[in-house]
Amino acid sequence: MKKGKMIILSGPSGSGKTTISRHLLSKIPELKFSVSCTTRPIRNKEKHGKDYYFIPTNKFISKIKKYQFAEWEEVYPKLFYGTLKSEIYKIWNENKHILFDVDVKGGLHLKKLYPDNSLSIFVLVHSIEILKKRLLKRNHENFSKIKTRLDKANIEWKYANLFDIILLNINLYQTKRKALNLVSNFIYNNRGDWT
């Protein structure tokens, strides 16, 4: 099987990963989003198979036992996320490069599995207070869940230096431009099997 490039975006909830992902996908036609599996409930406007594969916990655990995940993580208690191996192969068979928007530990695991194919980017903001404001603005979750995310962010920041690049998201316009330059250079100048 031919292998393409992997762009791994990780960072705390509220750092801007999803916005940056959408920008990259809109600008680089050779890039395709890897849809992760999750056991969390579907949110407003999300679509199964586009944003995530929303599956029950017992089905997720069954896939773990069958070694169907390239990476998986119990991100919060009883809340699982993971990348199916079949999703990676499907995208590579389409002669596309893969964009991941994944948990920090999942991102590091993918980088370890595919060191020659991957560019790992840790998206960071200046402070926990900024993350808190962004998460509250989303209005997806109650304050208890937001506190859990913020506690997790404090731990995740310790892993930032293990990524290839730390992308500080202060000004979103500039951050998107920088991300596009980084990813374009990696894909087009560091050529893969078919580019």
Side-chain angles (χ1 to χ4, degrees):
M1 172 182 294
K2 289 182 176 181
K3 291 182 179 180
K5 298 294 179 183
M6 294 179 153
I7 309 302
I8 302 165
L9 281 184
S10 291
S13 290
S15 61
K17 298 186 304 294
T18 303
T19 303
I20 294 165
S21 293
R22 287 180 183 144
H23 180 69
L24 292 171
L25 290 165
S26 73
K27 297 292 182 184
I28 304 174
E30 297 88 353
L31 204 54
K32 187 163 182 182
F33 182 66
S34 170
V35 180
S36 299
C37 290
T38 184
T39 59
R40 78 156 170 78
I42 193 166
R43 292 176 186 152
N44 290 344
K45 297 183 182 177
E46 286 183 328
K47 289 188 171 64
H48 177 80
K50 182 181 177 225
D51 298 292
Y52 287 97
Y53 298 115
F54 297 94
I55 61 174
T57 304
N58 62 341
K59 190 173 177 183
F60 195 104
I61 291 168
S62 170
K63 288 181 182 296
I64 293 171
K65 290 176 180 173
K66 293 175 184 172
Y67 301 99
Q68 292 180 352
F69 288 106
E71 62 82 24
W72 66 271
E73 186 73 27
E74 187 174 5
V75 176
Y76 301 102
K78 297 182 182 176
L79 186 57
F80 294 87
Y81 288 83
T83 302
L84 290 167
K85 293 174 185 175
S86 59
E87 182 76 2
I88 293 172
Y89 303 147
K90 181 182 86 173
I91 295 171
W92 276 343
N93 280 332
E94 294 171 10
N95 287 351
K96 299 276 188 181
H97 303 292
I98 307 173
L99 176 66
F100 296 94
D101 175 348
V102 291
D103 173 76
V104 171
K105 287 185 180 175
L108 289 173
H109 194 71
L110 286 168
K111 179 178 166 53
K112 186 177 177 182
L113 281 176
Y114 304 96
D116 299 329
N117 300 76
S118 62
L119 173 68
S120 60
I121 302 171
F122 190 95
V123 183
L124 195 59
V125 294
H126 266 317
S127 68
I128 288 288
E129 199 54 41
I130 291 171
L131 281 182
K132 183 178 175 181
K133 284 178 185 173
R134 288 182 181 185
L135 291 171
L136 286 168
K137 193 176 176 183
R138 280 184 186 176
N139 207 20
H140 287 319
E141 299 163 322
N142 62 37
F143 191 74
S144 170
K145 287 185 179 174
I146 289 172
K147 185 182 180 310
T148 303
R149 289 189 183 275
L150 294 173
D151 290 343
K152 188 169 188 296
N154 274 317
I155 296 164
E156 289 173 326
W157 276 353
K158 295 172 185 170
Y159 293 97
N161 289 328
L162 299 176
F163 285 75
D164 298 319
I165 293 163
I166 296 173
L167 184 62
L168 189 57
N169 184 9
I170 300 169
N171 175 298
L172 185 58
Y173 174 76
Q174 291 177 355
T175 303
K176 289 196 291 190
R177 278 183 61 191
K178 187 169 184 184
L180 183 58
N181 285 337
L182 289 166
V183 172
S184 296
N185 283 334
F186 181 71
I187 288 175
Y188 301 119
N189 297 333
N190 184 5
R191 298 191 175 273
D193 287 349
W194 63 75
T195 55

